[in-house]
PDB file of all heavy atoms in Angstrom:
ATOM      1  N   ALA Q 143      77.762 149.929  67.276  1.00 86.00           N
ATOM      2  CA  ALA Q 143      79.049 150.064  66.791  1.00 86.00           C
ATOM      3  C   ALA Q 143      79.718 151.381  66.859  1.00 86.00           C
ATOM      4  O   ALA Q 143      80.917 151.494  66.564  1.00 86.00           O
ATOM      5  CB  ALA Q 143      78.969 149.681  65.269  1.00 86.00           C
ATOM      6  N   VAL Q 144      79.053 152.342  67.363  1.00 88.00           N
ATOM      7  CA  VAL Q 144      79.640 153.722  67.492  1.00 88.00           C
ATOM      8  C   VAL Q 144      78.997 154.400  68.675  1.00 88.00           C
ATOM      9  O   VAL Q 144      77.841 154.263  68.979  1.00 88.00           O
ATOM     10  CB  VAL Q 144      79.412 154.519  66.152  1.00 88.00           C
ATOM     11  CG1 VAL Q 144      78.021 154.724  65.945  1.00 88.00           C
ATOM     12  CG2 VAL Q 144      80.186 155.795  66.152  1.00 88.00           C
ATOM     13  N   THR Q 145      79.748 155.284  69.352  1.00 88.00           N
ATOM     14  CA  THR Q 145      79.234 155.980  70.491  1.00 88.00           C
ATOM     15  C   THR Q 145      79.824 157.396  70.423  1.00 88.00           C
ATOM     16  O   THR Q 145      80.685 157.698  69.710  1.00 88.00           O
ATOM     17  CB  THR Q 145      79.685 155.413  71.757  1.00 88.00           C
ATOM     18  OG1 THR Q 145      81.152 155.434  71.870  1.00 88.00           O
ATOM     19  CG2 THR Q 145      79.162 153.970  72.043  1.00 88.00           C
ATOM     20  N   GLY Q 146      79.233 158.350  71.150  1.00 89.00           N
ATOM     21  CA  GLY Q 146      79.720 159.713  71.384  1.00 89.00           C
ATOM     22  C   GLY Q 146      79.473 160.590  70.192  1.00 89.00           C
ATOM     23  O   GLY Q 146      80.061 161.629  70.058  1.00 89.00           O
ATOM     24  N   VAL Q 147      78.645 160.093  69.269  1.00 95.00           N
ATOM     25  CA  VAL Q 147      78.365 161.001  68.059  1.00 95.00           C
ATOM     26  C   VAL Q 147      76.861 161.121  67.998  1.00 95.00           C
ATOM     27  O   VAL Q 147      76.076 160.409  68.597  1.00 95.00           O
ATOM     28  CB  VAL Q 147      78.815 160.336  66.774  1.00 95.00           C
ATOM     29  CG1 VAL Q 147      80.305 160.162  66.678  1.00 95.00           C
ATOM     30  CG2 VAL Q 147      78.093 158.952  66.498  1.00 95.00           C
ATOM     31  N   PRO Q 148      76.358 162.296  67.432  1.00 97.00           N
ATOM     32  CA  PRO Q 148      74.848 162.505  67.331  1.00 97.00           C
ATOM     33  C   PRO Q 148      74.188 161.338  66.679  1.00 97.00           C
ATOM     34  O   PRO Q 148      74.513 160.862  65.700  1.00 97.00           O
ATOM     35  CB  PRO Q 148      74.782 163.917  66.549  1.00 97.00           C
ATOM     36  CG  PRO Q 148      76.142 164.525  66.778  1.00 97.00           C
ATOM     37  CD  PRO Q 148      77.062 163.459  66.894  1.00 97.00           C
ATOM     38  N   GLY Q 149      73.079 161.048  67.360  1.00 97.00           N
ATOM     39  CA  GLY Q 149      72.232 159.869  66.912  1.00 97.00           C
ATOM     40  C   GLY Q 149      72.552 158.637  67.565  1.00 97.00           C
ATOM     41  O   GLY Q 149      71.868 157.512  67.392  1.00 97.00           O
ATOM     42  N   ALA Q 150      73.717 158.430  68.375  1.00 97.00           N
ATOM     43  CA  ALA Q 150      74.003 157.240  68.993  1.00 97.00           C
ATOM     44  C   ALA Q 150      73.563 157.186  70.534  1.00 97.00           C
ATOM     45  O   ALA Q 150      73.560 158.294  71.114  1.00 97.00           O
ATOM     46  CB  ALA Q 150      75.564 157.027  68.924  1.00 97.00           C
ATOM     47  N   PRO Q 151      73.314 156.034  71.009  1.00 97.00           N
ATOM     48  CA  PRO Q 151      73.039 155.911  72.409  1.00 97.00           C
ATOM     49  C   PRO Q 151      74.255 156.516  73.317  1.00 97.00           C
ATOM     50  O   PRO Q 151      75.337 156.034  72.962  1.00 97.00           O
ATOM     51  CB  PRO Q 151      72.712 154.513  72.675  1.00 97.00           C
ATOM     52  CG  PRO Q 151      72.440 153.903  71.328  1.00 97.00           C
ATOM     53  CD  PRO Q 151      73.152 154.804  70.326  1.00 97.00           C
ATOM     54  N   ALA Q 152      73.984 157.238  74.363  1.00 96.00           N
ATOM     55  CA  ALA Q 152      75.004 157.690  75.200  1.00 96.00           C
ATOM     56  C   ALA Q 152      74.968 157.256  76.539  1.00 96.00           C
ATOM     57  O   ALA Q 152      75.974 157.205  77.350  1.00 96.00           O
ATOM     58  CB  ALA Q 152      74.892 159.224  75.193  1.00 96.00           C
ATOM     59  N   TRP Q 153      73.783 156.804  77.100  1.00 96.00           N
ATOM     60  CA  TRP Q 153      73.717 156.417  78.553  1.00 96.00           C
ATOM     61  C   TRP Q 153      72.469 155.789  78.672  1.00 96.00           C
ATOM     62  O   TRP Q 153      71.398 155.923  77.987  1.00 96.00           O
ATOM     63  CB  TRP Q 153      73.809 157.712  79.364  1.00 96.00           C
ATOM     64  CG  TRP Q 153      73.691 157.571  80.856  1.00 96.00           C
ATOM     65  CD1 TRP Q 153      72.670 157.826  81.601  1.00 96.00           C
ATOM     66  CD2 TRP Q 153      74.827 157.032  81.563  1.00 96.00           C
ATOM     67  NE1 TRP Q 153      72.943 157.509  83.044  1.00 96.00           N
ATOM     68  CE2 TRP Q 153      74.309 157.033  83.056  1.00 96.00           C
ATOM     69  CE3 TRP Q 153      76.159 156.584  81.404  1.00 96.00           C
ATOM     70  CZ2 TRP Q 153      75.014 156.640  84.133  1.00 96.00           C
ATOM     71  CZ3 TRP Q 153      76.822 156.185  82.452  1.00 96.00           C
ATOM     72  CH2 TRP Q 153      76.347 156.223  83.834  1.00 96.00           C
ATOM     73  N   ASN Q 154      72.284 154.838  79.672  1.00 97.00           N
ATOM     74  CA  ASN Q 154      71.030 154.268  80.049  1.00 97.00           C
ATOM     75  C   ASN Q 154      70.880 154.376  81.499  1.00 97.00           C
ATOM     76  O   ASN Q 154      71.755 154.208  82.298  1.00 97.00           O
ATOM     77  CB  ASN Q 154      71.018 152.711  79.661  1.00 97.00           C
ATOM     78  CG  ASN Q 154      71.080 152.455  78.223  1.00 97.00           C
ATOM     79  OD1 ASN Q 154      69.976 152.625  77.521  1.00 97.00           O
ATOM     80  ND2 ASN Q 154      72.202 152.101  77.606  1.00 97.00           N
ATOM     81  N   GLU Q 155      69.579 154.785  81.924  1.00 96.00           N
ATOM     82  CA  GLU Q 155      69.325 155.048  83.238  1.00 96.00           C
ATOM     83  C   GLU Q 155      67.915 154.505  83.626  1.00 96.00           C
ATOM     84  O   GLU Q 155      66.951 154.669  82.924  1.00 96.00           O
ATOM     85  CB  GLU Q 155      69.248 156.601  83.492  1.00 96.00           C
ATOM     86  CG  GLU Q 155      69.210 157.015  84.841  1.00 96.00           C
ATOM     87  CD  GLU Q 155      69.492 158.627  84.920  1.00 96.00           C
ATOM     88  OE1 GLU Q 155      70.647 158.992  85.027  1.00 96.00           O
ATOM     89  OE2 GLU Q 155      68.451 159.263  84.841  1.00 96.00           O
ATOM     90  N   LEU Q 156      67.897 153.882  84.766  1.00 97.00           N
ATOM     91  CA  LEU Q 156      66.767 153.218  85.324  1.00 97.00           C
ATOM     92  C   LEU Q 156      66.027 154.099  86.255  1.00 97.00           C
ATOM     93  O   LEU Q 156      66.607 154.644  87.303  1.00 97.00           O
ATOM     94  CB  LEU Q 156      67.084 151.881  86.099  1.00 97.00           C
ATOM     95  CG  LEU Q 156      65.828 151.213  86.813  1.00 97.00           C
ATOM     96  CD1 LEU Q 156      64.798 150.733  85.791  1.00 97.00           C
ATOM     97  CD2 LEU Q 156      66.424 150.010  87.686  1.00 97.00           C
TER      98      LEU Q 156
END
Side-chain angles (χ1 to χ4, degrees):
V144 62
T145 61
V147 299
W153 184 252
N154 290 287
E155 190 168 274
L156 174 64

